Amino acid sequence: MSELEATRQALAEAVAHASRAAELARLLEDYRRRLDEAARAEAEAQTRLRETEQRLRLAERHLTRLAKNLAEQRFQTEVAQWKLESVRANRWLRLGGAINASGKNPARLARELRSVRAPVKRRPAPKRSDFPPEVPDLEPKQRDVVDPAPAPKVSTPLADGFVVPKGPTARPYMTVACIVDRQTEALLRYEWRQVTNFGPDNWRAMLDQHQPNLLLVESVRPGHRQGNGGRWLEALALETRDLRDLLEECGRRGIRTLFWHSGGPVSAFAPAAMYFDHVFTFSEARAREWRSALRRDQVGVLPHAVQPRVHNLVPAVDGGRTDEVVTLGEVPPAALGLPAKGDAEAATGPGWRPLPGQRPDDKISYDDLLTAYRRPAVVVAGPDADPRTLAELAACGTPVFEVPKPNPTRRMEPVVGEVEALVADAGRRAVLGHLAWRASVSVTPLLDPILDTVGLPSVRGGRDVTVIAAVRDEGELDHLLSQLRHQVYAPVQLVLVAEGVDPAVAEKAASGCAADVVVRGGDGHATRGAALGRALRLADGDLVAVFDPRDLYGEHYLADMVRYFDCVDTEIIGKASFYAHIAGANATLLRQPGADHRFLPELAGPTIVARRPLLTELGIADLSEEWDETLMRQCREDGIRVYSADRFSYVCRRDSSEHRLLRSAELQGYVPAEPLAMI
């Protein structure tokens, strides 16, 4: 047995030696290959150097020849100038000029003749030696060395602050003539091509020029934000025939007509509404009133909503949020800790001021009001506050503290302390503002069934999402699938490149996560960027979302990111500010605090959601972890704006503290990462 055991050991050692020899041979062959590549590269560099030196010598000879030609031209020019001066100094030529100039004046002729007789000093003829060729110095001038500026804590924004956008529109093929107030005009101006600059005196020319598909009339009330310059108020009250004539002409031209009751008493607008093809109101309760008033069942509901293009989380210009508190509506004095009567501060509260644009004499425009929505830290709303304004404030990320109606049987507790605590806690205000924005209702999808009822097609750009990812082992695969299964906005396609997992196993495990699953196996040596680039070429969705199987994605992650495409005009959205959890130190960092809701030069790769045609054109670099930096640099060079969204619903998880995570980061504490991803 000992001999057998010795034989086995000898064989094992021989196999080990053979393996090491094979490995050494492979390394040697690889080394030789690299040497050959280096030799070829050096030979190519030497060839390019010689070609460059030859071109330089030719350029120098050409430059010398040009310098000689220029010197000869200067000499010839100077010779011509000298000859001209000699001709002008000729005595007979000067004599003829003197006679012509003096005419019949003898005294003047005598003076001219004396000047002609005076001797003229001529300068010597120019010589070629006076004009040597001047070859310019090609040596670079020494420049002062400038010390590099320190890297900013937050990248310089490409654009900062909210401005009322010019477009685009959701349905550019549709034209709608509108008689609406300024608030509704801003609500609908990005839904179609909207025409509002017409009145009772020129509506026929408007119909001929714009040929609208729909006439939409709102229950416009008198005020500083009344629509169309207030020219239709008398017609809406049926004091003139202008509105009825307009509706009759729309009927003859086949233009649909729609009346929307957005507020005010039903009785004031019912006489005019009965002339319209369709009537809508803002709630089901009001719809029942309208059905009773019009004695017809075809009364629909178009609730109050917000316009993502103007009611969003983009901060105000020049500093953004302040620490002030504003009120909306009449806040009960008891809620402010004030006496019920006789106190001058009861209308606004201690140190608080009313929101601009709420008083009848306040002439602030609605565009300026959109900026005012983004200024205060907190809004305290009374029981009579306009619900439409509350919804717009919430969509702009402004926390709203609603005071309930006074209850005679229960004492109202002051809210001043709670409001001041909320003002002092910026982190909590950011979370509340984000949750309020997420809960707001966009008007864009609400108009689709309305247009179907009216009989007009509603076709908008798609929002289907393809998720692409590269997994290295079964642990990453299971974690990625768990992050996808709980998404509120489910992707329509999942494209996986599995490096360390059997493609059949990965496809079976991912079958319940998306409508279409595409799995491709890797060769085991591809970088993460190369794998993502391969997955990108197989994507079919309107949008492409890059997922990293190591990170945490909240259930609202995709829903929030897709919604930002309705808010800002951009092709690529991601996160520059986000939470990062270092497992080795059990520490959580906030990366680039303050870099959310801005156009920035760079985003984190695992948070990128982009329109597929553009991302496919840009491509993803064949790099392990720095592929996103290459992509962002290409966007900067091509002038493509990228938008940094909020810092919530995503946590980057790494085992060690990488330099990219530590740059411009603040320590949030030794807390787990899961709660942060759930916001």
Side-chain angles (χ1 to χ4, degrees):
M1 292 296 294
S2 60
E3 184 177 350
L4 180 59
E5 185 65 27
T7 303
R8 289 179 178 174
Q9 185 175 359
L11 287 174
E13 292 177 356
V15 171
H17 283 301
S19 178
R20 286 194 295 270
E23 179 65 16
L24 182 60
R26 188 187 66 79
L27 293 176
L28 182 60
E29 181 64 25
D30 184 64
Y31 179 69
R32 288 176 178 172
R33 180 180 57 80
R34 293 186 180 183
L35 284 178
D36 293 340
E37 292 178 356
R40 285 195 298 271
E42 183 180 5
E44 292 176 358
Q46 289 291 338
T47 303
R48 289 194 296 269
L49 178 60
R50 292 174 182 175
E51 292 176 352
T52 303
E53 291 175 349
Q54 185 179 4
R55 286 196 296 268
L56 179 60
R57 288 193 295 270
L58 290 174
E60 290 176 349
R61 288 198 295 269
H62 182 63
L63 191 59
T64 303
R65 185 168 60 254
L66 291 177
K68 291 180 179 180
N69 293 338
L70 179 60
E72 180 66 20
Q73 289 294 332
R74 288 177 178 174
F75 168 71
Q76 296 294 342
T77 302
E78 190 64 21
V79 169
Q81 183 67 26
W82 178 81
K83 290 181 178 180
L84 178 62
E85 293 175 359
S86 299
V87 171
R88 288 177 177 175
N90 184 276
R91 178 171 294 182
W92 293 105
L93 182 63
R94 293 168 60 201
L95 179 60
I99 295 174
N100 290 333
S102 59
K104 296 181 179 181
N105 191 334
R108 184 175 181 183
L109 177 60
R111 288 195 303 269
E112 294 292 339
L113 290 176
R114 282 195 298 270
S115 64
V116 169
R117 287 198 302 268
V120 177
K121 294 183 179 180
R122 300 181 181 180
R123 64 186 181 94
K127 301 178 181 179
R128 276 191 172 87
S129 59
D130 297 335
F131 300 91
E134 299 177 359
V135 180
D137 186 11
L138 298 180
E139 293 294 329
K141 297 182 179 180
Q142 184 177 2
R143 296 178 295 179
D144 296 335
V145 179
V146 180
D147 295 333
K153 184 176 181 181
V154 177
S155 302
T156 304
L158 305 178
D160 237 351
F162 170 79
V163 292
V164 178
K166 302 296 183 183
T169 57
R171 305 168 184 86
Y173 59 88
M174 184 179 297
T175 302
V176 178
C178 294
I179 302 175
V180 294
D181 62 22
R182 298 298 184 189
Q183 191 172 14
T184 302
E185 180 183 348
L187 178 73
L188 302 176
R189 72 173 69 150
Y190 306 100
E191 300 300 321
W192 41 53
R193 290 184 290 132
Q194 190 159 271
V195 182
T196 57
N197 56 343
F198 65 94
D201 56 335
N202 64 341
W203 58 264
R204 292 184 184 275
M206 181 274 297
L207 294 180
D208 294 336
Q209 179 182 357
H210 296 282
Q211 300 180 3
N213 307 103
L214 174 68
L215 172 67
L216 189 151
V217 179
E218 183 190 7
S219 55
V220 179
R221 286 150 286 177
H224 59 279
R225 285 206 295 269
Q226 60 192 10
N228 303 77
R231 291 180 287 177
W232 290 97
L233 293 177
E234 294 181 356
L236 278 170
L238 297 184
E239 297 178 3
T240 64
R241 282 194 52 88
D242 296 320
L243 180 62
R244 282 176 286 178
D245 293 342
L246 172 60
L247 293 173
E248 290 175 0
E249 183 63 24
C250 288
R252 284 191 290 269
R253 300 190 183 205
I255 301 172
R256 279 80 165 179
T257 59
L258 185 152
F259 183 83
W260 183 42
H261 172 239
S262 62
V266 175
S267 58
F269 300 99
M274 66 176 57
Y275 292 98
F276 286 79
D277 299 333
H278 304 274
V279 177
F280 289 84
T281 186
F282 60 90
S283 68
E284 185 59 38
R286 287 302 180 94
R288 290 193 292 269
E289 296 182 34
W290 274 101
R291 294 183 187 111
S292 176
L294 299 178
R295 295 182 180 179
R296 62 179 181 181
D297 297 333
Q298 290 77 19
V299 176
V301 177
L302 175 58
H304 291 145
V306 299
Q307 174 53 249
R309 297 286 287 155
V310 294
H311 306 125
N312 50 49
L313 297 174
V314 178
V317 188
D318 300 332
R321 295 280 175 192
T322 64
D323 292 334
E324 65 179 353
V325 179
V326 301
T327 59
L328 180 63
E330 184 176 353
V331 181
L336 305 175
L338 300 173
K341 295 180 180 179
D343 197 309
E345 289 186 334
T348 60
W352 301 350
R353 65 176 183 86
L355 184 71
Q358 305 306 308
R359 296 190 299 267
D361 58 342
D362 198 342
K363 303 301 182 182
I364 183 175
S365 67
Y366 186 73
D367 288 352
D368 293 334
L369 184 61
L370 291 173
T371 301
Y373 281 164
R374 296 162 161 82
R375 292 293 189 190
V378 180
V379 172
V380 179
D384 63 334
D386 179 24
R388 191 173 179 184
T389 304
L390 291 177
E392 293 177 354
L393 282 166
C396 293
T398 303
V400 178
F401 198 100
E402 296 188 47
V403 178
K405 292 182 179 180
N407 191 340
T409 62
R410 186 172 57 187
R411 180 176 177 272
M412 179 175 289
E413 296 295 333
V415 300
V416 178
E418 298 181 50
V419 172
E420 291 178 350
L422 187 57
V423 171
D425 192 346
R428 181 169 172 240
R429 284 191 284 117
V431 172
L432 293 178
H434 181 75
L435 295 178
W437 167 80
R438 180 185 292 166
S440 61
V441 179
S442 171
V443 70
T444 304
L446 296 180
L447 291 175
D448 290 337
I450 303 299
L451 294 174
D452 290 340
T453 302
V454 172
L456 294 175
S458 179
V459 181
R460 295 185 288 115
R463 289 292 188 269
D464 293 340
V465 177
T466 293
V467 171
I468 63 174
V471 296
R472 302 293 185 183
D473 50 47
E474 293 188 4
E476 288 190 354
L477 174 63
D478 294 340
H479 179 74
L480 172 68
L481 298 181
S482 67
Q483 302 302 300
L484 290 175
R485 288 192 182 101
H486 67 213
Q487 290 296 318
V488 173
Y489 193 97
V492 300
Q493 185 188 35
L494 170 62
V495 182
L496 277 176
V497 175
E499 291 287 341
V501 185
D502 185 359
V505 174
E507 185 171 1
K508 182 178 180 181
S511 59
C513 291
D516 184 20
V517 177
V518 179
V519 179
R520 293 292 184 269
D523 56 6
H525 302 288
T527 63
R528 194 175 294 272
L532 290 174
R534 183 182 179 189
L536 175 61
R537 293 188 291 271
L538 299 173
D540 293 333
D542 304 299
L543 302 174
V544 175
V546 180
F547 269 52
D548 195 306
R550 299 168 291 181
D551 299 337
L552 292 173
Y553 296 85
E555 60 180 344
H556 294 278
Y557 171 80
L558 276 181
D560 289 349
M561 298 298 282
V562 171
R563 188 169 183 177
Y564 281 115
F565 282 96
D566 296 327
C567 300
V568 293
D569 186 14
T570 185
E571 299 287 318
I572 299 178
I573 291 176
K575 296 178 187 290
S577 179
F578 56 88
Y579 292 100
H581 184 75
I582 309 301
N586 192 27
T588 300
L589 309 172
L590 177 57
R591 179 90 162 80
Q592 288 205 98
D596 41 5
H597 305 300
R598 307 168 77 181
F599 286 98
L600 290 176
E602 67 277 331
L603 306 171
T607 68
I608 287 178
V609 181
R611 300 188 190 276
R612 179 175 55 84
L614 175 67
L615 190 59
T616 303
E617 179 181 352
L618 294 175
I620 297 178
D622 185 3
L623 298 171
S624 295
E625 297 295 340
E626 293 78 16
W627 63 266
D628 52 348
E629 293 185 356
T630 304
L631 177 63
M632 292 297 102
R633 183 168 59 252
Q634 189 173 356
C635 289
R636 293 192 296 271
E637 293 174 353
D638 295 346
I640 300 171
R641 297 201 312 169
V642 298
Y643 184 74
S644 173
D646 58 85
R647 63 179 182 268
F648 304 114
S649 298
Y650 168 77
V651 176
C652 176
R653 297 195 309 174
R654 297 295 181 268
D655 295 332
S656 60
S657 55
E658 301 176 359
H659 68 284
R660 296 180 63 193
L661 296 180
L662 292 179
R663 287 184 307 187
S664 304
E666 289 184 359
L667 180 64
Q668 299 295 297
Y670 299 95
V671 296
E674 284 75 9
L676 295 173
M678 295 302 105
I679 298 177

